Amino acid sequence: MGKEIVLTGITTSGTPHLGNYVGAIRPAIEASNRADTEAFFFLADYHALIKCQDAERVQQSRLEIAATWLACGLDTDKATFYRQSDIPEISELNWLLTCVTAKGLMNRAHAYKAGVDENVASEQDPDFGITMGLFCYPVLMAADILAFNAHKVPVGRDQIQHIEMARDIAGRFNHIYGSEFFVMPEAVVGDSTAILKGLDGRKMSKSYNNTIPLFDTEKKLKKGINKIKTNLLEPGEPKDPNDSTVFEVYQAFATPEQTEEMRQKFADGIAWGEAKKELFELVNGQLGEAREKYLELMANPAQIEEVLQAGAVKARARARDHIKQLREAVGLVNFV
């Protein structure tokens, strides 16, 4: 039996934050170190264009996210690391899949429905401001996955629907063209910290401007943690760890033993200031070495580019063979 293929990526439209690290980067890198796993990691820069038309921001984010993966310990000798936009086979597959994808399936996508609901609530045309990029986002995500026939895709809980859609699209293509061209990918969601809350208690997201950047300076990291929203319970009053962003973030970085110790401190009424201090010390201690590596890489973009170009060669070699098979399946072959 061959190795299990694991694939994941991050949209390049902002600065990586603690939620990205916990929900995607860390579990994916851990999986890539398994002997029975073949890992693919990519910068989802085509996806970034759906929400961001600021070219400088997209370019800067690509650099920051590439540096983040490498600083966090990605071994590019073991894993294939590439930019989505460097693999034209993904774009071609995106069209092949679009041609078999039902519009009704796209109508059910959470992001599209949320946009429509927001427009209706504000008495706008239902499709006001909604681009085909947003509407067809799940098809491009399916192409990312199916280009390499990934078995497992580490995602946050809010992305599970997109993996289910990729399965639907893959199954329909297989049915129409009469062969198992695609495997059925599975979503892999980590523990309860797969989606971290941000400073305001909502999901940590660049869209909400409530993130804690992954590689902030110590001073800025401490300031960010101190901004996390808490209730008005005084020191000595028991606090509910299940309703606390401070505890949730702590748990995402702590060992099971440390988590239980903090849970007891919450029951004993730890002061919010002290809880945040312990959270800062835990997170800063784990990220300090990676932060130094990140700063070195950001100062040397040529080193990052060399790594990505090598990854693109590896990724294209794999995707090219698959696309050749798919082109033959749909009738796009030369006459001679």
Side-chain angles (χ1 to χ4, degrees):
M1 185 175 178
K3 291 186 176 182
E4 185 173 73
I5 298 173
V6 178
L7 177 143
T8 196
I10 295 181
T11 305
T12 55
S13 59
T15 299
H17 54 72
L18 296 186
N20 296 141
Y21 176 71
V22 169
I25 299 172
R26 185 176 65 187
I29 290 178
E30 288 173 353
S32 73
N33 291 322
R34 290 169 42 190
D36 61 350
T37 295
E38 182 179 6
F40 288 80
F41 298 83
F42 68 97
L43 308 180
D45 46 1
Y46 278 146
H47 287 295
L49 303 182
I50 296 171
K51 293 183 178 180
C52 183
Q53 281 79 48
D54 183 336
E56 290 185 5
R57 182 182 176 191
V58 170
Q59 178 72 339
Q60 179 66 15
S61 180
R62 293 159 96 216
L63 180 65
E64 291 178 354
I65 291 175
T68 296
W69 284 103
L70 297 172
C72 288
L74 178 62
D75 185 345
T76 54
D77 290 331
K78 294 180 180 178
T80 302
F81 185 46
Y82 58 95
R83 278 180 297 236
Q84 183 187 36
S85 60
D86 285 337
I87 316 299
E89 289 78 10
I90 291 174
S91 296
E92 181 169 1
L93 179 56
N94 179 52
W95 182 249
L96 297 182
L97 298 179
T98 297
C99 292
V100 303
T101 299
K103 178 178 178 292
L105 181 64
M106 296 298 96
N107 288 342
R108 296 194 290 274
H110 295 324
Y112 170 65
K113 288 174 65 178
V116 170
D117 290 345
E118 186 176 330
N119 284 334
V120 171
S122 59
E123 300 183 346
Q124 298 273 10
D125 181 273
D127 286 327
F128 176 76
I130 293 176
T131 66
M132 290 306 296
L134 174 63
F135 185 70
C136 296
Y137 170 92
V139 185
L140 179 56
M141 185 167 174
D144 294 326
I145 298 164
L146 300 176
F148 305 100
N149 263 336
H151 301 101
K152 300 290 179 65
V153 186
V155 292
R157 297 186 190 281
D158 58 335
Q159 291 287 321
I160 292 175
Q161 185 198 42
H162 290 142
I163 308 305
E164 293 172 344
M165 287 181 162
R167 292 171 62 91
D168 288 341
I169 294 168
R172 182 167 174 80
F173 190 99
N174 288 346
H175 175 73
I176 290 172
Y177 292 104
S179 186
E180 297 300 310
F181 294 104
F182 300 116
V183 302
M184 297 295 109
E186 296 180 18
V188 178
V189 181
D191 54 27
S192 59
T193 62
I195 296 180
L196 287 186
K197 293 187 180 70
L199 302 178
D200 57 2
R202 294 183 293 177
K203 169 195 169 184
M204 188 177 291
S205 170
K206 295 180 282 286
S207 301
Y208 297 145
N209 195 31
N210 67 352
T211 66
I212 300 176
L214 182 59
F215 290 131
D216 259 349
T217 63
E218 288 192 20
K219 184 176 180 180
K220 288 183 177 179
L221 176 62
K222 181 181 289 187
K223 186 176 180 180
I225 288 174
N226 285 335
K227 286 183 178 179
I228 295 175
K229 183 179 179 181
T230 56
N231 57 38
L232 299 177
L233 291 174
E234 297 289 337
E237 293 185 82
K239 298 168 178 63
D240 182 3
N242 299 318
D243 188 34
S244 167
T245 301
V246 172
F247 184 84
E248 181 185 83
V249 178
Y250 187 93
Q251 184 178 30
F253 286 86
T255 64
E257 292 76 18
Q258 289 172 319
T259 298
E260 289 311 305
E261 288 176 9
M262 181 58 78
R263 190 182 300 277
Q264 184 59 50
K265 290 179 181 179
F266 266 62
D268 293 340
I270 187 173
W272 286 122
E274 179 61 27
K276 290 179 178 180
K277 178 175 180 292
E278 292 197 25
L279 172 59
F280 163 74
E281 291 172 352
L282 177 68
V283 174
N284 188 57
Q286 288 193 26
L287 297 180
E289 185 177 340
R291 184 191 297 128
E292 290 184 16
K293 178 64 174 175
Y294 172 80
L295 294 175
E296 291 174 8
L297 288 164
M298 288 295 292
N300 188 10
Q303 182 180 347
I304 298 174
E305 184 65 29
E306 183 179 348
V307 171
L308 289 171
Q309 289 298 329
V313 170
K314 290 168 62 178
R316 289 201 66 191
R318 174 66 70 84
R320 191 180 298 117
D321 289 341
H322 196 195
I323 287 294
K324 181 177 183 295
Q325 181 187 29
L326 298 175
R327 287 176 66 92
E328 291 172 354
V330 302
L332 302 179
V333 293
N334 294 342
F335 298 129
V336 178

